[in-house]
Structures are given as structure tokens and as C-alpha cells.
Amino acid sequence: MKKDKEQTTILPKPIKFGLYTLLIFSVLLSFCRLIDLAGLFNFSYGHYYFPVNQKIPFFRQGEREFAEINEFGFRIGTLKTNITCSYLLLGDSQTFGSGIFKKDSFPEILNRETNCHWVNVSIPGFTLENEFSMYEKVSPSFPSKDVYLFVYGNDIYETGDTPDYLHFVNHQKWYFHIVAFFFPESSRLYLKGIYFESIQKRMEEELERVSKLPYIAPDTKAKQEEVIDFLPIKTLFQISPSYLSSSLDTKTFAKKDFERWKQVFFRLKDKIEKDGKHLRVVYIPLEVEFDRTRYDVYENIGFKMNPKWLESDSELVLDLIQLTQENHIPLIDLRKWMRYRTDLLQNGDIHLNEVATRLIAEILKKDLQ
């Protein structure tokens, strides 16, 4: 009887081995996740840039304009002497001035019409990670009083796992996925740096291809008669139907990505303050936050819409207001001047036109007073 009792209380060896293995795996996973959350693996964010010390073609409705690229990989703006103040501008394509001539971008208007030097280091497609990385690279060479961070309405979406980034991740080696399971945020940060390097390579290849194509001046009459079909926006919907919620719903749908964005934001803020400079934030709203016509276009295409984006405040705006107030950072919310205007966007495109850049330049000039 005693022997039978012992046999009933002792687990078979395969089950014991399985339980011990599960216990060890759980402890190891918890340990790795704690290290991951502590951020001990501090990888650089990285950024891409235009081919250095070259002339690059840019286009406005098919009209070509060449621009000089400096040794840091961003477009050279107006060089000024005998200035009384200098500002560094961090942003993406809206701040760069995509789709318009350089002279009509608001940084260049400010360079012409103020006695300050506005150094625009923005590059189309930049995320906040890229902007921080670019700032670290160029700030020693461009002393400035203030740093203007231009937050565009889709910055949270771009900080997240975009379809292009996920496509890149899915093509990584199998062992990357194993490491990412144990260290998800650290692996993501590391892979983002490699991802930005891949963008750099693709951009250089595309620029080389475009530079070899024969230039054909656009037919201005045909351009005027062109029917606007909003193809870029329709393509965006096919690629990412949750684009708007992933950008603006920071308390709900995009909460995790907003937390990631804030981590980068605070690192940038601390770096700027350590350099003895001041940070100023300018919010450039998405078109559905100010343009009724574009709101209807997005709704008709199929995007899930929220009337609060247009009529009041998105979750992103409310979070930005709270974030800047708590940290005593000046915030210029451009919605105050842009709301309900339908004349600020390029035809069929998401980018600001010359009317909008003139408006922004005037707002920033008044901010200096």
C-alpha cells in the first residue's frame, strides 16, 4: 500500500521535465522583458538623407527645380550674414515644402522677410525618430536660439508599425524574430535603424533613376484641365485603411504608438535643453482637421471618420496641449488659422500649397514679436 501511495504522488519524468522547462522559460522571458522595458539597449534612431554635396531635382506640378544638398544631406537654404537670431527647424515634407518651389516654402519666406536665419533640416517622410537623429548630427554645426519642432497630424502613424515597415520586418532572418520575441521594443528600435538605412538606399537608387530620365516640361493647359481623382489618398486607403485613427486617436486606437512617440519627444526635449536651447512646437493639422471638402473626400473613399476631428479637437491635439503645458513648452496650434479653409492644399494631394506656407510664415513672424 505504501508503494502504491508513493507512485500516485510522484509525477512521471516527462511531465516534470515539461514543468521545469516551462518554469525556466517563463523566468527567462520575464527577465528579458524587464531588461527590454528598462531600455538598457540604447540604439540610435538613425535617419536617411539626400545624397550629400549634389544637385537634386525637385518638382512642382511637373516643373523641375534643382537644389543644392550640403554635407549633412539636407537642402541648402538661403545663407545669411549679419543676423540677430537663428532657428533650427525639424519636420517632414510639410516643413520641407514638397510640391512647391523652395522660395515658396515658409522657411525660405522667413529667411527673406526676417533678420533671422531659419535652418530647415526637414526631409520628406521624416519621423520624430529621424528628426531627433538629424538634430544630433547637425546641431553642433548650426548654433541656434530656439528649435522649432513641426508636428504634422500623421506623425503618430509614422512612428508606429506602418505597412512598409512591417513588410521590411517580415523579410528579416528567422533569428531576428526570436530575439524580437524576448526583446520586442529593443529589437524594434534596432530594426528601425536598419529600416531607415534601407530607405536611404532606395532613395538614392530612385534619385539616380530619375536623374537619367529626359525632362519634358509640363503642358500647363492640360494641367489646368486635369480631373482631380485623389489617387494618392485612394492608394493610402488601400494600403492603410486605419490611417486616420492611427494618427489622431491617441487615447484609444493609437495609444501605444503615442507612448512611443512621447519617449522620443522627451529624449529630444532633454537633448535640446542640455544644449542650452529652447524647444517650440508647431502643430500642422491633417486636412480632415480643417478642410470640410477633404473631410468629405476621405469619408467617400471609405475611411472611418470622427466629426470631432473637424469640429472640435482630436485626441492627438488634446494630448499635445496637455504635454506642452505640463512641460512649459510653447505650442502654436495652426488649426486656429487654418480651420474651415479649403484653399490651403495642393490639388488632389495632402501637401500644403503656397497660400498655406505664406500663412504659416506670417504666423511665425508674429510669434517672434
Side-chain angles (χ1 to χ4, degrees), residues 200-210:
Q200 175 73 36
K201 183 177 180 180
R202 281 184 282 165
M203 181 173 64
E204 291 178 353
E205 291 173 350
E206 180 64 14
L207 286 172
E208 184 179 1
R209 183 189 70 81
V210 172

Side-chain angles (χ1 to χ4, degrees), residues 318-361:
L318 293 174
D319 277 331
L320 274 180
I321 292 173
Q322 180 181 354
L323 181 68
T324 52
Q325 286 179 347
E326 290 177 348
N327 292 275
H328 309 290
I329 300 171
L331 170 66
I332 301 175
D333 183 359
L334 294 178
R335 295 176 312 148
K336 177 181 176 181
W337 296 270
M338 297 172 67
R339 177 153 278 175
Y340 305 135
R341 293 190 60 167
T342 60
D343 61 339
L344 302 178
L345 297 166
Q346 298 173 34
N347 289 338
D349 196 72
I350 67 172
H351 291 103
L352 302 173
N353 61 20
E354 293 86 347
V355 177
T357 55
R358 165 52 67 178
L359 174 64
I360 295 173

Side-chain angles (χ1 to χ4, degrees), residues 5-195:
K5 186 176 181 180
E6 288 179 353
Q7 287 178 344
T8 58
T9 57
I10 299 175
L11 294 174
K13 288 186 177 180
I15 295 179
K16 290 176 63 178
F17 177 78
L19 289 174
Y20 284 133
T21 302
L22 180 61
L23 177 62
I24 294 171
F25 176 82
S26 299
V27 172
L28 177 62
L29 179 62
S30 299
F31 178 72
C32 292
R33 291 291 176 89
L34 284 174
I35 292 177
D36 186 57
L37 289 174
L40 297 182
F41 300 106
N42 191 18
F43 298 110
S44 172
Y45 292 117
H47 66 277
Y48 50 91
Y49 47 87
F50 295 121
V52 300
N53 299 321
Q54 295 187 28
K55 279 189 174 182
I56 302 296
F58 297 96
F59 297 88
R60 177 194 178 276
Q61 296 182 351
E63 298 179 76
R64 186 173 64 180
E65 174 187 63
F66 282 93
E68 295 276 356
I69 308 300
N70 64 11
E71 68 273 22
F72 295 101
F74 64 86
R75 184 172 64 181
I76 298 175
T78 300
L79 301 177
K80 303 181 68 173
T81 56
N82 301 321
I83 58 174
T84 59
C85 48
S86 179
Y87 302 101
L88 197 65
L89 279 59
L90 304 175
D92 56 15
S93 57
Q94 300 286 25
T95 310
F96 173 83
S98 290
I100 60 178
F101 291 134
K102 184 182 76 171
K103 66 180 180 63
D104 294 318
S105 65
F106 63 83
E108 284 304 292
I109 295 174
L110 290 167
N111 269 324
R112 288 196 305 271
E113 299 180 6
T114 70
N115 198 33
C116 300
H117 189 197
W118 301 78
V119 183
N120 185 12
V121 303
S122 307
I123 290 181
F126 258 18
T127 66
L128 184 59
E129 298 121 317
N130 302 144
E131 291 157 10
F132 178 37
S133 179
M134 176 66 89
Y135 173 78
E136 288 186 304
K137 181 177 181 181
V138 306
S139 59
S141 302
F142 295 93
S144 59
K145 174 185 175 183
D146 288 354
V147 177
Y148 279 85
L149 173 65
F150 291 85
V151 178
Y152 180 45
N154 72 353
D155 282 4
I156 309 304
Y157 168 81
E158 294 291 347
T159 304
D161 295 338
T162 61
D164 186 59
Y165 172 69
L166 290 177
H167 176 77
F168 171 80
V169 171
N170 290 335
H171 284 76
Q172 297 304 306
K173 300 293 186 181
W174 61 269
Y175 49 81
F176 274 108
H177 298 281
I178 295 177
V179 174
F181 177 78
F182 287 94
F183 304 96
E185 290 301 320
S186 300
S187 299
R188 185 178 182 276
L189 182 59
Y190 175 75
L191 284 174
K192 274 266 183 169
I194 301 177
Y195 168 66

Side-chain angles (χ1 to χ4, degrees), residues 267-323:
R267 285 192 65 189
L268 174 61
K269 169 185 171 293
D270 292 344
K271 174 62 177 172
I272 290 173
E273 292 176 349
K274 185 178 179 181
D275 292 342
K277 303 175 183 180
H278 302 95
L279 173 63
R280 308 178 75 85
V281 175
V282 181
Y283 181 63
I284 302 177
L286 281 176
E287 53 272 31
V288 297
E289 295 182 272
F290 65 88
D291 189 322
R292 288 184 181 276
T293 303
R294 287 299 179 90
Y295 186 95
D296 293 339
V297 168
Y298 275 78
E299 192 169 42
N300 291 333
I301 288 174
F303 286 96
K304 185 179 179 181
M305 308 300 290
N306 185 339
K308 286 185 178 180
W309 299 339
L310 182 64
E311 302 297 341
S312 57
D313 300 315
S314 67
E315 293 174 357
L316 170 59
V317 169
L318 293 174
D319 277 331
L320 274 180
I321 292 173
Q322 180 181 354
L323 181 68

